[in-house]
Amino acid sequence: MVYGCRDGRLYAVRDNGEPLWEYDSGAGIGATPEVDGTRVYCANYAGRAFALRSLDGAELWAQDLGAPIVASPTLGKNLVFFQTYGGDLVALEQKTGRLVWKQHLGGQLRARAVPTGKELLAVSGEGELLSLEQKSGKVAWSVPLGARVISNPVRIGDLLVLASQDGQVHAVAMKKGQIAWKIDLGGAIESGLAADDDRLYIGSTDRNIYALKKEDGTVAWKVKTGGPIRSTPWVDDDKVYVTSYDRPTYVLDAEGGD
């Protein structure tokens, strides 16, 4: 397991918790690392993107991208994509870190980009969903979502589901950018989404955890907690796990929210 820390280090531990290696990046790390089996890709608050050997944490390459990075990197076929607080989406060669292209999307980018076929779906700082060609960065289409998106989207079949800070949840067709459905949950959404076979689960700053039906986004159930929810729920074995700013961990029945 590999994770970053605000002390500036990336840590690797075995599944029994035994420390394996650590790497000092030079500044706090807020991005979740991306691992492809032989390499670990990550970035830090100083805007430094880097690749390490997963076996021992040896640095393979590093690039200064000029602005803080908190969004998790995304792997394409031969490229790795980073997004910065300066509004840039940057494509680097996986093996060497060489800059292939850079596209300025604007605003502070936080939501993770999603690869789909030969394209890459990314959200600008102003809440516009764009489909870009992975090789060139050329924009194929864009859809305005109306507000900033800071939580990671989730893929559901041919749809990409995104939640924004105005409380809207959007399901967008990944090929053409058409909105299949959307729903207004009211409170600002900073939580990522989780999914099982039937529903989507998402927390809100209005203190509720929501279960949405996949086919149309309608609310199947909601449960009020004692504080805002900014963490991503976890679904396993018909149970939904979520933490709230009121401190407890909630374990809910996925079917009815009990």
Side-chain angles (χ1 to χ4, degrees), residues 22-229:
E22 62 181 69
Y23 168 82
D24 189 352
S25 76
I29 297 174
T32 300
E34 181 72 87
V35 184
D36 71 355
T38 59
R39 299 187 191 94
V40 179
Y41 303 91
C42 200
N44 65 18
Y45 293 148
R48 187 171 183 265
F50 51 89
L52 311 177
R53 192 164 56 199
S54 59
L55 179 66
D56 55 9
E59 182 182 293
L60 300 174
W61 54 258
Q63 279 273 21
D64 181 6
L65 301 187
I69 299 170
V70 297
S72 301
T74 301
L75 288 174
K77 187 175 181 181
N78 299 305
L79 302 176
V80 56
F81 304 95
F82 291 89
Q83 299 178 98
T84 78
Y85 252 38
D88 291 326
L89 173 59
V90 182
L92 304 180
E93 199 171 67
Q94 289 182 15
K95 289 185 178 179
T96 66
R98 179 182 66 87
L99 176 66
V100 177
W101 56 260
K102 180 168 69 173
Q103 180 77 264
H104 184 69
L105 305 185
Q108 298 175 333
L109 306 182
R110 287 187 59 173
R112 186 179 184 272
V114 176
T116 169
K118 297 180 180 180
E119 278 67 52
L120 183 75
L121 300 179
V123 186
S124 76
E126 302 302 320
E128 185 176 22
L129 177 64
L130 302 102
S131 176
L132 304 98
E133 186 179 85
Q134 287 193 29
K135 285 186 177 181
S136 67
K138 181 181 178 181
V139 177
W141 53 258
S142 64
V143 177
L145 302 178
R148 189 178 181 212
V149 175
I150 69 171
S151 62
N152 291 332
V154 65
R155 293 178 64 166
I156 304 294
D158 295 329
L159 300 177
L160 186 71
V161 184
L162 311 96
S164 57
Q165 287 194 299
D166 63 356
Q168 302 271 351
V169 181
H170 305 259
V172 183
M174 290 188 289
K175 288 185 177 180
K176 297 183 179 180
Q178 297 171 330
I179 294 179
W181 55 258
K182 66 178 180 178
I183 185 171
D184 186 356
L185 298 182
I189 298 175
E190 300 174 0
S191 159
L193 294 115
D196 59 17
D197 292 339
D198 302 311
R199 298 179 183 87
L200 297 161
Y201 305 94
I202 189 166
S204 171
T205 56
D206 71 0
R207 304 187 175 196
N208 285 299
I209 171 77
Y210 291 90
L212 308 179
K213 296 178 182 178
K214 281 185 176 180
E215 59 267 22
D216 58 10
T218 56
V219 176
W221 54 259
K222 66 178 181 178
V223 173
K224 192 85 166 183
T225 70
I229 299 172

